Amino acid sequence: MRSLPARRIAAVALTAAASVVALAGPAFAHVTVNPGSAPQGGYTAVDFRVPNENDTASTVKLEVNLPLDHPLASVRTLPMPGWTATVEKAKLDKPIKVHGNDVNEAVSKITWTADAGTKIAPGQFQEFRVSLGPLPTDTDKLTFKALQSYDNGDVVRWIDEAKDGQPEPAKPAPVLALTKATSEDGHGVTASAAPAADGHGHDGAKDEAAGSTRSSDSTARVLGVVGIVVGVIGTAFGILGLRRRSGGSAS
């Protein structure tokens, strides 16, 4: 009978550990923009990171809608083996000025479709790279509503916008935060804002550093979750051991 409370403690600890893992899991399952921020007024290259969150189906299409309330004059996709990118444009209600010229249309949607034999399988993720610019200076974020399609016909709509003071929605839309430019060249644009020479708006060193940062961040999150789980389980078994020793000495 003395072992019953100890068993309950162990059960509670394991339940708590499972809850930690369950709560941590959804954060990795979202479609996100990486890196998550860029300076206003400049050009940047971002990855739309798409994890496959279905255990029985594979992702075969991604649609990303670009905001037309803050249109982007220059949008380019990086070719990806096994995927076909289609870019759609829309007429703007009000032209925007880019380098002194009027721009009357902007990219409204990018669709990546998997070729035959290509997919994002369960337990995998893929990154779709895009160069964007010039980024607007009159807003602190860009929201990209996305649709993720599976080969079983399911479609996950990552379109919900987070609101201040509210919990994060179940299917949040990817968001790119825009920060104030710190180093200006006299035109309100950062000195590094011009597209890179490779034609895709990439800076190799910056992309490599960003990739390293993203990798380190993901690793830190995983290690943090594992540490919490191990700590909870260790505490439970420590209590269990103390109760057993206490019970043995009493007898």
Side-chain angles (χ1 to χ4, degrees):
M1 297 298 292
R2 289 178 179 175
S3 63
L4 184 57
R7 289 177 181 175
R8 287 179 177 173
I9 292 172
V12 170
L14 291 174
T15 301
S19 299
V20 170
V21 174
L23 291 173
F28 296 109
H30 295 170
V31 173
T32 56
V33 178
N34 296 279
S37 65
Q40 295 176 338
Y43 291 78
T44 190
V46 299
D47 294 320
F48 289 96
R49 183 176 296 171
V50 183
N52 193 97
E53 60 176 6
N54 194 312
D55 294 333
T56 59
S58 298
T59 298
V60 292
K61 186 168 71 172
L62 173 69
E63 301 171 65
V64 175
N65 293 276
L66 282 69
L68 290 180
D69 54 345
H70 295 288
L72 299 166
S74 175
V75 177
R76 299 188 181 104
T77 60
L78 182 69
M80 180 182 300
W83 295 83
T84 299
T86 303
V87 176
E88 299 180 27
K89 294 185 177 182
K91 290 286 186 181
L92 299 177
D93 295 333
K94 181 180 179 181
I96 58 174
K97 285 281 188 182
V98 179
H99 305 306
N101 299 316
D102 285 338
V103 175
N104 297 297
E105 64 178 13
V107 173
S108 58
K109 183 166 71 170
I110 306 173
T111 302
W112 287 271
T113 305
D115 300 338
T118 301
K119 60 186 177 181
I120 309 174
Q124 298 180 348
F125 76 95
Q126 184 61 270
E127 292 183 334
F128 300 86
R129 174 154 291 198
V130 180
S131 68
L132 307 168
L135 300 175
T137 58
D138 58 348
T139 183
D140 60 0
K141 67 179 180 180
L142 291 175
T143 300
F144 302 91
K145 296 185 177 182
L147 275 65
Q148 180 181 8
S149 299
Y150 289 87
D151 56 9
N152 65 353
D154 290 348
V155 177
V156 180
R157 300 170 62 84
W158 301 96
I159 62 173
D160 298 332
E161 298 188 44
K163 298 180 180 180
D164 293 340
Q166 299 286 332
E168 182 182 61
K171 303 296 180 184
V175 174
L176 176 66
L178 300 180
T179 60
K180 295 292 184 181
T182 56
S183 176
E184 296 187 347
D185 63 5
H187 301 286
V189 179
T190 58
S192 61
D198 67 355
H200 295 289
H202 297 168
D203 183 320
K206 289 183 178 179
D207 288 350
E208 183 177 354
S212 176
T213 300
R214 294 194 299 269
S215 177
S216 299
D217 181 63
S218 297
T219 301
R221 290 182 182 180
V222 172
L223 291 177
V225 172
V226 172
I228 293 172
V229 172
V230 172
V232 171
I233 294 175
T235 300
F237 281 101
I239 295 173
L240 179 60
L242 289 173
R243 285 181 172 271
R244 285 178 175 175
R245 286 196 296 271
S246 176
S249 62
S251 60

